[in-house]
Amino acid sequence: GSLQLTSNSFGGALTSANNNIYAIDGSVNTVAVFDANTHIKKAQVAVPSGSSDIIALNNKVFVTSYASSVVTVINTNTNTIEAFIQTPVQSHPIRLAVGASTKRTGSKVYVAYDGLNTISVIDPTTNTITNSITLTPGFSPTQMYDVGSKMYVLGYGSNKLASIDTKTNTVSYVQLQGPAQALVANGSKLYITNSSGSTVSVLDINTDNFITSVYVGNSPWALATIGTRVYVTLYNTGKVAIIDTNTNT
């Protein structure tokens, strides 16, 4: 089956909540709401222009609007806008993440910005920005990945991995072999692509120390994990490498 967005819409981000699928329909500046079982569109919620990322937490969906420097909050019980959270002027919010260690209480949503070394922390109960995390100068977040007690952040063109304590919001850094394109966790290990090389680094999440590097082939790009395997796409090769997480081979 398929979900029908506007015919000339460019592809947008997706999330799910309350047995619905929420999809950014960028060409008409809306979030389309589909029934997850029937795939029928139930609602269409107007959002500010330039929406780029979307994430669900409890009974809310958060949407970044790049052009408007706003995070829109949609109530998933009514599929109506609950709040607009104003981010710093011309900050261009592009990425969202929720800390798993806080999902039980729903206490934090993280917002990253294009070209800024700052991450905002939103209290989803009050829909307000309660804290700001400053990263090292020049570190512009491209991906945020939650593993429970920590949020890992990749920076554009950076040889460092930011490790944020989700309880205290303190930041430490892990030196990488080179710029990374993707990361994924499997158990207590974090797998990180060395995109300009031919390996995937394996990090111990408990200590932030590297365990090993696994040779996979040139230009490891994207990662996914199922069970005891990590799948690695190799850029422009048509191949996918498979890592056994028990042996890291």
Side-chain angles (χ1 to χ4, degrees):
S2 63
L3 306 178
Q4 182 62 55
L5 298 173
T6 305
S7 60
N8 63 341
S9 178
F10 54 82
L14 298 166
T15 192
S16 60
N18 285 2
N19 205 36
N20 292 324
I21 303 297
Y22 291 78
I24 292 175
D25 200 346
S27 65
V28 290
N29 296 324
T30 64
V31 171
V33 186
F34 297 90
D35 185 292
N37 295 317
T38 65
H39 300 168
I40 294 173
K41 185 185 291 185
K42 299 171 60 175
Q44 195 149 313
V45 184
V47 293
S49 62
S51 297
S52 57
D53 201 9
I54 186 169
I55 198 168
L57 175 63
N58 299 333
N59 294 318
K60 301 180 181 184
V61 163
F62 296 81
V63 188
T64 59
S65 292
Y66 179 95
S68 305
S69 297
V70 163
V71 175
T72 303
V73 185
I74 299 172
N75 186 306
T76 60
N77 291 320
T78 61
N79 289 322
T80 58
I81 292 177
E82 180 174 305
F84 294 107
I85 303 172
Q86 188 67 52
T87 61
V89 176
Q90 296 183 339
S91 56
H92 304 312
I94 56 170
R95 293 287 180 268
L96 292 165
V98 174
S101 62
T102 62
K103 276 184 181 177
R104 291 184 292 275
T105 57
S107 61
K108 292 180 183 177
V109 173
Y110 294 82
V111 188
Y113 304 98
D114 184 24
L116 295 182
N117 65 322
T118 302
I119 294 175
S120 294
V121 184
I122 292 175
D123 181 337
T125 303
T126 61
N127 295 326
T128 57
I129 293 176
T130 58
N131 210 333
S132 179
I133 301 170
T134 302
L135 303 171
T136 190
F139 192 101
S140 178
T142 57
Q143 287 194 43
M144 296 187 289
Y145 193 93
D146 163 64
V147 296
S149 61
K150 299 176 183 179
M151 181 75 67
Y152 288 105
V153 185
L154 293 178
Y156 179 77
S158 176
N159 292 346
K160 294 181 179 180
L161 172 71
S163 175
I164 301 173
D165 185 310
T166 55
K167 292 183 179 179
T168 64
N169 290 329
T170 55
V171 186
S172 59
Y173 295 91
V174 179
Q175 187 67 42
L176 303 176
Q177 294 182 18
Q181 180 68 23
L183 67 170
V184 70
N186 184 288
S188 62
K189 292 175 283 191
L190 186 74
Y191 292 79
I192 309 162
T193 60
N194 299 311
S195 301
S196 59
S198 56
T199 62
V200 171
S201 296
V202 186
L203 186 78
D204 186 319
I205 290 171
N206 296 314
T207 64
D208 278 351
N209 292 325
F210 285 107
I211 300 170
T212 188
S213 291
V214 184
Y215 175 82
V216 292
N218 289 337
S219 301
W221 202 252
L223 296 171
T225 184
I226 300 175
T228 60
R229 293 179 178 177
V230 169
Y231 297 84
V232 189
T233 60
L234 304 178
Y235 184 75
N236 206 30
T237 66
K239 296 181 180 179
V240 177
I242 304 173
I243 298 173
D244 185 320
T245 61
N246 291 319
T247 62
N248 287 322
T249 55

